Amino acid sequence: MSEQKKPLLKVSDINVFYGAIHAVKGISFDVYEGEIVTLIGANGAGKSTSLNTVAGLLKPRTGTVEFDGRVINNVPSNKVVSLGMAMCPEGRRIFQQMTVKENLEMGGYTRSASEIPGSIEEMFTRFPRLKEREKQIAGTLSGGEQQMLAMARAMMSRPKLLMLDEPSMGLAPILVEQIFDIIKELHAAGTTILLVEQNAQMALSCADRAYVLETGTISMSGPADELLHNDDVRKAYLGS
């Protein structure tokens, strides 16, 4: 954990509803600068709902989301990016009809025009596959390339916190390995990451700390390495 006393992100006792459905029930978690923190759990456990609430796409009925010392419950999601938070959404959600380069330009919309070309070059260095395809229409990329593009687009805003929602979903095992290698590289370069992932094995292998969600509540939390070797976690999520 970082020396810094205050967490970069502090989520306190949030309750989130979809109509009458109580999806997230009073959960609290935090992320310190320089960490990878992962939320793991089965489908429907409330992982993506929690992430979407942090990103401002959903509003908690009660509780607070604090980012970089500021309560952001009522900050619109498009303004959250300017505060230093970026989200790589579930299902990638790239701009299918635009080129790879245009997608990256869209990711840099909070930056000044003079900074964008340098940031695009930085992304091409980090993601050489995207450089090879810079003029290609994004919708024609493979699933793995689309995931790389979604991550690069999120990184264009130079976020203090990068949130990844199910980055390995729908990808072949070899591509899952590649995506997690990229996550480790981004982290090594200083990016703080909040990761929601169904592939518990991969998530726990790269994270510093983890929270296990079950039906909208946190059932366990601790160092990722400990949870990776916890019998209950292994039985429930690692198939062993």
Side-chain angles (χ1 to χ4, degrees), residues 35 41 47 53 91 101 115 138 146 149 159 166 168-169 175 188 193 224-225 230 240:
E35 284 191 306
K47 306 184 302 295
T53 305
K101 189 176 180 189
E115 293 174 305
Q146 289 190 18
L149 178 56
E166 302 285 9
S168 79
M169 186 183 270
L175 291 171
I193 295 171
D225 191 48
N230 176 293
S240 58

Side-chain angles (χ1 to χ4, degrees), residues 2 26 39 64 78 95 102 168 239:
S2 119
L39 309 180
T64 56
N78 61 322
F95 300 110
E102 287 166 344
S168 79

Side-chain angles (χ1 to χ4, degrees), residues 62-239:
T62 58
T64 56
V65 177
E66 212 174 309
F67 179 65
D68 211 8
R70 171 181 175 179
V71 174
I72 60 167
N73 288 35
N74 296 310
V75 175
S77 56
N78 61 322
K79 295 282 192 295
V80 165
V81 178
S82 325
L83 299 179
M85 213 187 261
M87 169 101 147
C88 183
E90 184 181 344
R92 304 184 260 283
R93 310 265 179 90
I94 55 166
F95 300 110
Q96 299 274 342
Q97 308 305 322
M98 291 183 176
T99 65
V100 165
K101 189 176 180 189
E102 287 166 344
N103 266 271
L104 294 177
E105 286 167 350
M106 293 297 282
Y109 78 96
T110 57
R111 315 273 306 284
S112 70
S114 60
E115 293 174 305
I116 288 176
S119 286
I120 289 177
E121 281 316 308
E122 214 176 288
M123 290 307 123
F124 283 157
T125 303
R126 197 175 285 291
F127 300 87
R129 188 86 59 84
L130 298 182
K131 171 66 178 165
E132 293 163 19
R133 297 179 174 28
E134 77 177 283
K135 297 193 172 91
Q136 195 168 321
I137 297 297
T140 64
L141 298 174
S142 71
E145 289 162 353
Q146 289 190 18
Q147 184 61 50
M148 287 175 197
L149 178 56
M151 289 164 75
R153 182 183 63 184
M155 287 299 292
M156 280 292 296
S157 64
R158 295 239 166 116
K160 292 177 192 166
L161 177 68
L162 174 64
M163 295 184 287
L164 301 170
D165 194 359
E166 302 285 9
S168 79
M169 186 183 270
L171 298 182
I174 189 158
L175 291 171
V176 173
E177 297 268 351
Q178 282 179 20
I179 292 300
F180 273 89
D181 284 345
I182 292 167
I183 291 171
K184 289 173 194 162
E185 282 165 25
L186 292 173
H187 178 237
T191 307
T192 304
I193 295 171
L194 175 59
L195 168 67
V196 156
E197 179 54 68
Q198 254 195 292
N199 186 330
Q201 177 84 42
M202 294 300 278
L204 292 172
S205 299
C206 80
D208 297 297
R209 291 187 303 113
Y211 295 86
V212 180
L213 265 77
E214 282 180 43
T215 57
T217 60
I218 289 172
S219 61
M220 253 185 280
S221 65
D225 191 48
E226 278 179 25
L227 291 180
L228 186 58
H229 298 100
N230 176 293
D231 286 344
D232 293 337
V233 172
R234 293 187 74 81
K235 281 193 195 98
Y237 304 108
L238 305 174

